[in-house]
Amino acid sequence: MCWLVDLVIRNAKVVDAHFSGMVDIAIEGGDIGALLSPGTACTAAQELDAQGCIVMPGLIDAHVHLREPGLTHKETIATGTAAAVCGGVTTVLDMPNTAPPVSSPQILKEKGKLVAGQAWADVGFYALLGPGMVHQLAALVEVGCVGFKLFLGPTTGSLPAPDWGELYEAFQILADLGVPVVVHAEDRAWVECGQAQVSNRGVFDYQSFLIQRPKLGEVSATQQICLLAGATGAPIHIAHVTSAEAVEVIGRAKSYGWSVTAETSPMYLFLSDEDYAAVGTAMKVLPPVRGRTDQAALWAALRNGIIDMIATDHAPHTPADKDQDLANAAAGAPGVETLLPLLLDAGRQGRCTLADITRWCAYEPARRFGFPNKGRIQPGGRADLVIIDTNEVWTIDQSQLHSKSCVTPFHGRRGVGKARYAILAGNIVMADGDLVGRPRGNWVKPTQGGRASHAR
Ligand code: DOR
Ligand code: ZN
């Protein structure tokens, strides 16, 4: 067979959630045209040799704060997506706690316009599920949000949740629309209770932080929201799961057949409260990083499918925002560029396989949020790819990261594997750590009917 294609990747050791093997990947018009036996005759405008590397689907990070508009001193679409592609992430789903928050179709449209010419990766947007928004939900879906974010507890942006009556109504509408609600599951009442307990303590150490944002708050919010999902049929996705107890609740909700998915982040998988003494406020995040038993439970939940995916909660702040005492430091850390090297290191230690990584960081987010043409390497799929040299072992250095916020809790940790090339819709956008060409990312919208329900 011999024809002309745009790009051929030779000797590609492909790893995705369902397939691994050596192929040549022929790319035409931004899509994967064919997977060929190595050496198949085929003329290409451009050719890459992936010998010695592995090729994965471009990763999809379902939880990223790009901070634009309004908070561009912390991050921009340009800097956040540059960091993404340098880390092998070719699609990011951006959170709505920007300024203004994404609370109307008009604001979503305006946000969408910021992508073209700025973004190095594809960007999808969540809308807010806030008070008084029930009548806007269908229109926001029409404009193309990937889902709705519900903040049940206080966090960056101080965005309140609707009351339960209004949430019930919203969930009924979203059940009909089949659009997921991503939930920051911390119960405000328990956070206020924790705050009161901490005030009596005198000191604010890491233990105080854990008291201020108790597990009780996470578990109770997770339980409530799962019950509402069960009662209404609305798809929900629990963001940044941190505790063994929340895993139990999610597992039970799934066993009832409710449409519940969940993510955890590298913060909770690679850090525990014991690290605070060495790492400091760089690891302050909401909900907090908890104990080692929780960390082990999160890994187990990923392996048994109770937690479906890993998303970074890339939440950049300025060094000045972070360089405060624990009580006052901003919560959140960049993560999109360190995701892959941390997971590949875990892989090297036998904690997961390469196929697991692509399932958790590409296939599952694509399925849940409506991108059936992404997250896999298959003919007809989008040619979003990352070519990785897995032999490189290096040390994560915050001064080398591309986010505006370089305050990472993973500074000094071992990273494994370097993303040699990131390819977005058939175009090389990053090579050996350098951005290539112009920002080609698009505002991506879910495919109608492309969201898997995940109900079991
Ligand atoms: O630590 C966090 N940072 N948790 C959140 O829920 C929000 C995020 C941010 O936007 O800074
Ligand atoms: Zn977040």
Side-chain angles (χ1 to χ4, degrees):
M1 205 187 294
C2 178
W3 75 100
L4 179 68
V5 297
D6 300 327
L7 170 67
V8 67
I9 304 172
R10 297 283 186 196
N11 306 308
K13 186 168 178 233
V14 164
V15 183
D16 89 352
H18 301 88
F19 167 79
S20 76
M22 283 295 284
V23 292
D24 288 352
I25 307 175
I27 296 169
E28 291 179 286
D31 290 339
I32 296 171
L35 302 180
L36 309 167
S37 310
T40 304
C42 129
T43 315
Q46 197 178 4
E47 196 161 317
L48 281 181
D49 189 357
Q51 188 71 48
C53 294
I54 59 161
V55 183
M56 282 184 177
L59 303 189
I60 301 173
D61 190 341
H63 191 148
V64 166
H65 299 261
L66 294 175
R67 306 295 195 206
E68 194 169 347
L71 300 164
T72 50
H73 57 293
K74 294 178 190 271
E75 190 76 294
T76 63
I77 288 176
T79 54
T81 56
V85 294
C86 290
V89 175
T90 51
T91 304
V92 297
L93 305 185
D94 175 70
M95 286 296 166
N97 58 338
T98 35
V102 184
S103 57
S104 75
Q106 194 50 39
I107 295 172
L108 176 57
K109 281 184 201 160
E110 291 300 320
K111 202 177 193 185
K113 284 185 203 158
L114 301 172
V115 173
Q118 304 283 339
W120 291 93
D122 279 350
V123 184
F125 291 114
Y126 293 102
L128 183 69
L129 179 46
M133 286 185 59
V134 167
H135 65 288
Q136 311 246 41
L137 303 178
L140 280 157
V141 170
E142 189 69 22
V143 175
C145 67
V146 291
F148 289 85
K149 180 73 183 283
L150 170 63
F151 293 96
L152 287 175
T155 186
T156 309
S158 306
L159 297 168
D163 63 32
W164 286 106
E166 211 183 335
L167 276 179
Y168 198 100
E169 208 182 324
F171 272 45
Q172 284 175 315
I173 293 168
L174 294 172
D176 284 344
L177 295 169
V179 175
V181 182
V182 177
V183 186
H184 180 122
E186 282 189 290
D187 188 316
R188 183 173 292 270
W190 288 117
V191 171
E192 282 163 9
C193 171
Q195 180 60 48
Q197 288 185 335
V198 160
S199 313
N200 299 330
R201 260 186 124 225
V203 290
F204 198 94
D205 53 12
Y206 200 79
Q207 190 52 33
S208 309
F209 182 40
L210 291 174
I211 294 170
Q212 186 191 40
R213 310 290 297 213
K215 265 189 192 181
L216 184 56
E218 180 182 11
V219 180
S220 134
T222 305
Q223 170 81 0
Q224 293 263 69
I225 214 70
C226 285
L227 290 173
L228 190 58
T232 57
I236 60 165
H237 175 80
I238 309 293
H240 38 51
V241 176
T242 74
S243 67
E245 291 84 346
V247 167
E248 293 259 321
V249 170
I250 294 163
R252 214 173 309 132
K254 286 188 163 195
S255 76
Y256 300 148
W258 299 344
S259 180
V260 176
T261 51
E263 78 191 28
T264 190
S265 95
M267 300 276 276
Y268 310 113
L269 293 169
F270 296 104
L271 296 164
S272 78
D273 53 359
E274 293 168 29
D275 291 302
Y276 182 73
V279 176
T281 58
M283 65 176 265
K284 180 177 178 184
V285 61
L286 295 173
V289 171
R290 306 192 197 272
R292 277 205 196 218
T293 322
D294 295 297
Q295 188 191 74
L298 297 172
W299 276 106
L302 277 165
R303 287 188 203 107
N304 68 23
I306 289 179
I307 295 181
D308 303 83
M309 63 189 87
I310 302 175
T312 66
D313 195 4
H314 177 88
H317 293 284
T318 65
D321 296 331
K322 292 297 286 182
D323 191 18
Q324 311 262 343
D325 59 37
L326 180 57
N328 295 303
V336 79
E337 197 170 349
T338 46
L339 170 70
L340 185 57
L342 289 169
L343 286 176
L344 289 171
D345 185 30
R348 227 173 57 128
Q349 294 168 39
R351 302 174 92 176
C352 58
T353 65
L354 296 174
D356 288 335
I357 297 173
T358 68
R359 189 171 81 249
W360 298 331
C361 304
Y363 177 69
E364 288 292 352
R367 241 158 63 86
R368 184 50 153 176
F369 295 104
F371 299 97
N373 63 341
K374 289 179 181 269
R376 294 192 64 179
I377 298 182
Q378 58 182 353
R382 210 70 185 136
D384 295 349
L385 303 166
V386 54
I387 302 180
I388 308 151
D389 179 353
T390 51
N391 297 316
E392 284 219 31
V393 179
W394 49 292
T395 302
I396 295 172
D397 174 353
Q398 58 188 19
S399 71
Q400 300 299 308
L401 299 179
H402 291 75
S403 168
K404 260 198 191 182
S405 165
C406 295
V407 187
T408 170
F410 301 117
H411 180 66
R413 287 230 172 192
R414 186 171 54 223
V416 167
K418 280 264 161 98
R420 300 250 352 257
Y421 296 96
I423 295 172
L424 182 68
N427 295 293
I428 298 170
V429 290
M430 186 280 294
D432 286 327
D434 292 325
L435 299 167
V436 174
R438 62 186 169 81
R440 291 171 177 275
N442 285 308
W443 174 15
V444 287
K445 301 175 187 182
T447 308
Q448 286 303 329
R451 296 176 174 99
S453 87
H454 280 78
R456 291 185 177 185

